[in-house]
Amino acid sequence: MSESLLERSEALQLWAVLGTEGKAPTELGSARQVIPAYSVGIDGWLDRLSALYLRGLCRQHAHFKLALAPYGGGKTHFLMSLGTRALDENFAVAYIACGPGSSLDSPLDLYRVFARQLQLPGDEAFTGMRSLLKRIVSRKRLQMKEHQVSNPDAAFAVWLRQVREGQHPENAFGRVMFEALRAEWDPDMAVAGDAALRWLQGDVDTLSKDERLALRLGTPTGAAKGELGRNLLLSMIRFAREAGAHGVVLLFDEVETLFTARGRALLRVLSAMRVLVDLPNGVPGGVPMFGIFSAVPDILNELGRYPALQQRLAVVGAGFDEGNDFAAQLPLDRLDRQEDLLAAIGVRLIGVGEQALGVQFDRTLQSQNAAVLAQVASERNLEVDARRLYVKSWVSLLDFQCREGERLVSETELASRYQGHFNDLRSADAQQDDEP
């Protein structure tokens, strides 16, 4: 891949994030701009996923994959790269970091995160339901203009009635979407537009009694909230096609954080994951969705506690890395030989550093440093995968040499720096885990 030129401000922001965190940004608009600047080794896999799923299977039906890599092994980077590719393929995308407030066994909470994070193709500056409504209305206005419709208001009203009366996985979806879109088309026509928007965002508890009466909604409690969350997700994914998207890609990151539960709590998470995988299969006409769960490989041991889920995410025959595009698991540690991959990332980051810092590095000298650091990283087992740690170490080293002068750095010094950055990351992550 040729170097991707960034604006100086973009390069500097990326440089700061990589130097402190060592990982990709998780905001899709930003990721789309900066990730291609230092991404290596994954385009072949993205091409295969795009060809089979984004340009084919997932425009009609839902499919799921499980991306696996050790801690710091490039899972978030892969998800963000897939997300930007999906936007290019005209899919809407939602990145969901699993954890408190976004657990698979809390469907309505999960839907709220989805509704807030939903990113439409070609509209990187905005996310969420209001952006979706605006896109749908704008698209309808454009279509009417292209077809020279004499009475746009009447034509839109006819289409709205079809939305209200159509079949959706969530029974109330049509009439609530009717009100939300009517308010977006002409605020003077709004009956309960703001309430409809809040309901579509999953904020069902914020509706007053009068607003629920206006929308003919009940008050969901207990298990009904879980069913509402699941049905809203399916309904919204199907309806995203009205905004011109071919479907929706869901990026579930850090799934392993949900598997710290034990006993019945763990079984609830496993069951919820299985329900999410199976749920689209029962929807007439299909659900245009591609779902990717990312986690550390240890998650496979936990899946064994729930055979129904294990069977759905098991690999039968050859793996994806062996050319089987249908394999459910994506073992990211098999993308390429670790040392070669790290060295290639290092070379790409030299260019990012030049843009960020406004300097010209000695490419030959720094490529040698990048290769030695890659060797150091690949030979050490620090209970953390090398990619995140390598990026953090390499960016810091280039930054240091920009100030103090360039030189070949010894393997001993690089090993010491690498160990130091590992200690910093371990301390930071331990502190984050201890936070309430």
Side-chain angles (χ1 to χ4, degrees):
M1 178 187 291
S2 61
E3 286 192 2
S4 175
L5 294 178
L6 302 172
E7 296 291 337
R8 173 75 185 278
S9 60
E10 294 174 336
L12 186 58
Q13 177 64 29
L14 173 62
W15 197 246
V17 170
L18 294 180
T20 54
E21 300 178 22
K23 62 180 181 179
T26 56
E27 194 278 310
L28 278 164
S30 174
R32 182 171 185 165
Q33 296 298 318
V34 303
I35 280 184
Y38 72 103
S39 186
V40 299
I42 64 177
D43 279 351
W45 284 27
L46 295 179
D47 290 342
R48 290 165 57 190
L49 293 171
S50 296
L52 181 60
Y53 294 100
L54 302 183
R55 298 174 196 162
L57 297 176
C58 290
R59 294 191 180 190
Q60 189 67 48
H61 297 288
H63 294 267
F64 289 85
K65 298 281 189 187
L66 177 60
L68 298 168
Y71 167 81
K75 296 184 295 296
T76 300
H77 186 100
F78 185 82
L79 289 186
M80 290 294 101
S81 299
L82 178 60
T84 60
R85 178 68 68 93
L87 290 171
D88 290 339
E89 295 287 349
N90 202 43
F91 272 71
V93 182
Y95 171 81
I96 300 173
C98 295
S102 55
S103 178
L104 299 177
D105 62 336
S106 299
L108 189 55
D109 290 341
L110 192 70
Y111 174 78
R112 287 193 195 99
V113 178
F114 160 81
R116 185 171 63 249
Q117 295 293 329
L118 187 64
Q119 173 77 66
L120 293 172
D123 195 11
E124 285 73 24
F126 303 98
T127 60
M129 284 300 105
R130 187 173 291 280
S131 177
L132 177 70
L133 296 175
K134 288 182 179 296
R135 171 70 69 86
I136 293 172
V137 168
S138 295
R139 187 166 179 260
K140 291 300 176 184
R141 291 188 189 278
L142 180 61
Q143 289 173 340
M144 292 177 192
K145 182 177 180 180
E146 290 174 346
H147 290 85
Q148 298 181 337
V149 174
S150 59
N151 190 339
D153 289 337
F156 190 72
V158 170
W159 178 74
L160 272 186
R161 285 195 294 272
Q162 294 173 353
V163 170
R164 183 181 58 193
E165 297 165 6
Q167 291 192 342
H168 308 277
E170 168 53 43
N171 290 332
F173 183 84
R175 64 176 176 269
V176 178
M177 181 59 77
F178 173 96
E179 293 295 345
L181 286 171
R182 184 165 68 163
E184 187 63 39
W185 178 270
D186 184 355
D188 292 337
M189 299 169 57
V191 174
D194 182 66
L197 175 62
R198 282 183 278 124
W199 188 86
L200 292 172
Q201 291 172 335
D203 299 322
V204 299
D205 292 332
T206 68
L207 272 66
S208 67
K209 181 179 179 180
D210 289 341
E211 288 173 331
R212 290 197 302 270
L213 286 173
L215 293 171
R216 292 184 291 141
L217 296 170
T219 305
T221 58
K225 281 192 174 182
E227 184 178 2
L228 175 62
R230 288 187 289 267
N231 289 339
L232 271 175
L233 181 65
L234 296 176
S235 299
M236 195 60 72
I237 290 173
R238 283 171 57 89
F239 203 72
R241 287 184 288 200
E242 296 294 345
H246 293 313
V248 175
V249 171
L250 297 182
L251 308 171
F252 296 97
D253 204 3
E254 301 175 343
V255 173
E256 71 273 3
T257 62
L258 305 179
F259 287 73
T260 56
R262 289 292 177 263
R264 291 183 179 180
L266 175 58
L267 289 178
R268 283 197 299 271
V269 172
L270 292 168
S271 176
M273 192 171 178
R274 194 271 305 167
V275 169
L276 182 59
V277 171
D278 283 354
L279 196 64
N281 296 331
V283 178
V287 178
M289 178 177 74
F290 192 30
I292 305 287
F293 302 104
S294 85
V296 298
D298 291 349
I299 195 177
L300 297 177
N301 297 326
E302 304 297 344
L303 295 183
R305 301 173 182 269
Y306 202 92
L309 177 60
Q310 184 184 43
Q311 292 168 8
R312 287 156 176 79
L313 297 176
V315 175
V316 179
F320 192 86
D321 56 304
E322 299 171 300
N324 178 13
D325 292 343
F326 295 105
Q329 296 175 20
L330 305 173
L332 302 183
D333 59 341
R334 300 180 194 171
L335 276 164
D336 199 353
R337 182 170 171 265
Q338 179 81 308
E339 184 175 338
D340 295 339
L341 183 62
L342 294 179
I345 292 173
V347 171
R348 294 295 303 281
L349 284 172
I350 296 171
V352 176
E354 290 178 338
Q355 292 173 262
L357 304 174
V359 300
Q360 186 71 41
F361 284 114
D362 182 329
R363 292 290 185 107
T364 301
L365 184 151
Q366 296 302 347
S367 293
Q368 290 179 265
N369 283 334
V372 176
L373 182 60
Q375 179 183 346
V376 167
S378 298
E379 291 176 349
R380 278 157 178 76
N381 180 11
L382 298 176
E383 299 177 354
V384 60
D385 193 77
R387 293 179 207 173
R388 178 183 174 192
L389 189 52
Y390 176 88
V391 167
K392 181 177 171 67
S393 302
W394 180 233
V395 167
S396 298
L397 180 62
L398 284 176
D399 203 61
F400 176 77
Q401 292 196 74
C402 176
R403 298 191 305 271
E404 302 296 328
E406 295 183 84
R407 59 182 173 85
L408 284 174
V409 185
S410 70
E411 182 177 344
T412 301
E413 181 180 344
L414 288 174
S416 176
R417 289 178 175 275
Y418 191 78
Q419 178 69 54
H421 286 298
F422 164 71
N423 293 337
D424 291 344
L425 277 178
R426 182 171 59 180
S427 175
D429 287 330
Q431 181 177 359
Q432 184 177 10
D433 290 341
D434 290 339
E435 291 178 356

